Amino acid sequence: MSSPIDSLRAEFPALSQDINGRPLHYFDNAATTLKPRCVIDAIARYNSRDTANVHRGLHTLSARATEAYESTRGKLATWFSVPERELVYTRGTTESINIVAQCWARQTLQAGDEIVISTLEHHANIVPWQIVCEQTNARLRVIPLTADGHIDLDAATQIINPKTRLLAISGGSNAIGSMVPIPALIALANQHNARVLVDGAQLSVRAPLNLPELGCDFYACSAHKMFGPTGAGMLWARAELLESMSPWMGGGDMIETVTFEKTTYADIPWRFEAGTPNIGGFIGWSAGMDFLQQLDHDAIIRHEQVLLDQAQSALAAIDGLKIIGPVDDKLPILSFRINGCHEQDIATLLDENGIAVRTGHHCAMPLMQSLGISGTVRASFSAYNTESEVAHLASSLKSIARLLR
């Protein structure tokens, strides 16, 4: 008799393959989640039956593609408890943040204004603000971490001040797993009438989220972190903010009228969606949202915590292995180093055992610099991972530590 986890795993074709003669153990979920069969089938159906551009055609294929493409917006609106017209389709979290940077911050900030981020941030939530600061002469300020790898709220109360115009913060670290106290930080920003952007790349898959209740002004996420395709993402912003922002890109499908003298723009959110989009990707994301809605999210969070606790306990017992970052209040992400072993060598040997992990700075070089290291090995867990897989990871690492040291 199959268990619920066996039934779930059966939905992901990638898990049925062998890697180097071993069953695939996929622990790179913080980078991208695997795709369920329904997502793969939806993309294939669009490419094989309904290939057409959206919004512009009167023929049946275009109508079917448009309906499937736009259905994703409604499902995302339900997931995040927001109006559909406040959801902008993007290529992913990175593009979403850049739209806010160029369409809101660049036209709003002035010299002397401050943008606040944290040491935990992904490059996608650092570099766009550095660019804006160069363009506007605003100042970028950074909230440090406590010794255990969490946001230093005491420091945040000093750094977030009357000059703060924007707090741009991740929901959780993709590199070391630290959860971020978003409500507390939003409350600090609200004291100074600062806007808040949340990078939800690591957060959005975990459960439905009521963005108006959370209290942020902008929210960004990516489909491929939510069992969906790559190249599709979302920016949510309050309608009054979107309506105040000029488009980032011009082209087809974002206009109302065009003459050689003047162009008027489409209503929100379409004014930010120039050109032919990743139609198949958003149709696949629609299927992925249906898949997500059917899951027991509380049970999955408990399951992922069991895997994380098991992994932390087993890896902490390996001679020379050091876990990087917090051990409590974290996402199902475990970063570590082994004394005397290069991360790439560890990952290569794990791959020989069918284990997929990620190594390097995880697009968080400033974080690694603050920790005094160049990078880590990162194992990140998802709903379809199992305790036996974690045991195989620990056993393999124990052997690798003996081999390389």
Side-chain angles (χ1 to χ4, degrees):
M1 181 176 180
S2 64
S3 67
I5 188 70
D6 290 333
S7 298
L8 179 64
R9 287 174 62 84
E11 297 296 324
F12 293 85
L15 292 173
S16 64
Q17 65 184 304
D18 287 348
I19 302 295
N20 294 318
R22 302 288 186 93
L24 171 63
H25 294 58
Y26 187 80
F27 296 136
D28 197 18
N29 296 286
T32 191
T33 51
L34 299 177
K35 317 308 172 206
R37 194 177 309 277
C38 62
V39 170
I40 298 167
D41 289 347
I43 297 170
R45 186 164 52 249
Y46 166 73
N47 286 322
S48 61
R49 296 181 63 251
D50 297 334
T51 298
N53 214 327
V54 292
H55 300 152
R56 307 168 197 173
L58 296 178
H59 58 81
T60 298
L61 268 62
S62 179
R64 290 199 306 231
T66 299
E67 180 180 4
Y69 171 81
E70 284 292 344
S71 72
T72 313
R73 211 182 305 263
K75 294 170 185 178
L76 290 168
T78 299
W79 189 257
F80 293 109
S81 297
V82 297
E84 288 185 42
R85 69 189 297 262
E86 295 181 342
L87 291 173
V88 178
Y89 283 172
T90 69
R91 291 182 298 166
T93 304
T94 299
E95 183 173 73
S96 298
I97 294 172
N98 275 275
I99 289 174
V100 177
Q102 292 303 307
C103 300
W104 179 82
R106 185 178 183 181
Q107 69 184 35
T108 303
L109 270 56
Q110 300 177 355
D113 289 339
E114 294 181 355
I115 301 170
V116 175
I117 60 174
S118 84
T119 304
L120 290 173
E121 304 308 316
H122 187 284
H123 295 165
N125 202 32
I126 301 174
V127 179
W129 309 121
Q130 291 174 331
I131 293 172
V132 165
C133 286
E134 292 174 355
Q135 294 166 334
T136 64
N137 290 318
R139 179 186 180 194
L140 186 67
R141 302 195 65 188
V142 183
I143 303 171
L145 304 182
T146 59
D148 62 357
H150 286 297
I151 294 284
D152 188 334
L153 280 175
D154 289 336
T157 62
Q158 302 301 315
I159 293 171
I160 300 172
N161 66 77
K163 294 182 180 180
T164 305
R165 299 297 304 279
L166 176 69
L167 168 67
I169 198 80
S170 64
S173 169
N174 73 298
I176 60 174
S178 311
M179 288 290 288
V180 173
I182 297 174
L185 290 167
I186 290 177
L188 287 175
N190 287 344
Q191 291 177 15
H192 302 289
N193 297 314
R195 298 294 188 181
V196 179
L197 176 144
V198 174
D199 171 355
Q202 298 297 327
L203 198 63
S204 301
V205 71
R206 296 177 65 76
L209 184 61
N210 189 310
L211 294 181
E213 286 186 1
L214 184 64
C216 60
D217 300 287
F218 305 98
Y219 187 92
C221 67
S222 299
H224 73 101
K225 312 280 191 182
M226 304 172 67
F227 306 125
T230 56
M234 179 203 86
L235 168 66
W236 170 78
R238 300 180 187 277
E240 62 270 23
L241 289 171
L242 287 177
E243 288 169 343
S244 73
M245 293 158 53
S246 298
W248 186 28
M249 294 192 299
D253 218 28
M254 52 76 67
I255 56 89
E256 180 181 49
T257 63
V258 176
T259 68
F260 286 121
E261 290 72 34
K262 182 177 177 59
T263 292
T264 58
Y265 305 128
D267 197 3
I268 64 170
W270 297 282
R271 71 175 60 172
F272 300 101
E273 299 176 7
T276 298
N278 179 9
I279 300 168
F282 281 97
I283 290 173
W285 198 2
S286 179
M289 294 306 300
D290 290 339
F291 180 82
L292 266 180
Q293 289 281 12
Q294 298 169 7
L295 300 179
D296 184 337
H297 303 287
D298 290 338
I300 288 172
I301 289 173
R302 291 193 299 271
H303 172 67
E304 291 174 343
Q305 187 63 50
V306 167
L307 298 179
L308 180 62
D309 291 344
Q310 177 192 356
Q312 290 190 146
S313 177
L315 269 60
I318 297 174
D319 186 33
L321 188 147
K322 180 181 180 181
I323 294 173
I324 305 298
V327 295
D328 298 312
D329 194 20
K330 63 186 294 184
L331 296 167
I333 291 172
L334 185 56
S335 275
F336 58 91
R337 294 168 63 88
I338 299 177
N339 292 339
C341 304
H342 196 284
E343 301 94 72
Q344 293 181 3
D345 293 335
I346 297 170
T348 299
L349 292 171
L350 286 174
D351 186 62
E352 291 181 2
N353 284 339
I355 300 171
V357 296
R358 182 60 61 102
T359 66
H361 52 67
H362 314 297
C363 292
M365 290 180 72
L367 170 60
M368 296 299 152
Q369 291 163 2
S370 76
L371 297 171
I373 57 179
S374 59
T376 70
V377 181
R378 183 187 69 193
S380 47
F381 310 114
S382 188
Y384 41 63
N385 292 126
T386 67
E387 293 180 54
S388 63
E389 287 184 317
V390 172
H392 180 52
L393 170 66
S395 174
S396 298
L397 285 170
K398 187 174 182 179
S399 298
I400 289 169
R402 287 197 303 264
L403 175 66
L404 294 182
R405 292 183 66 224

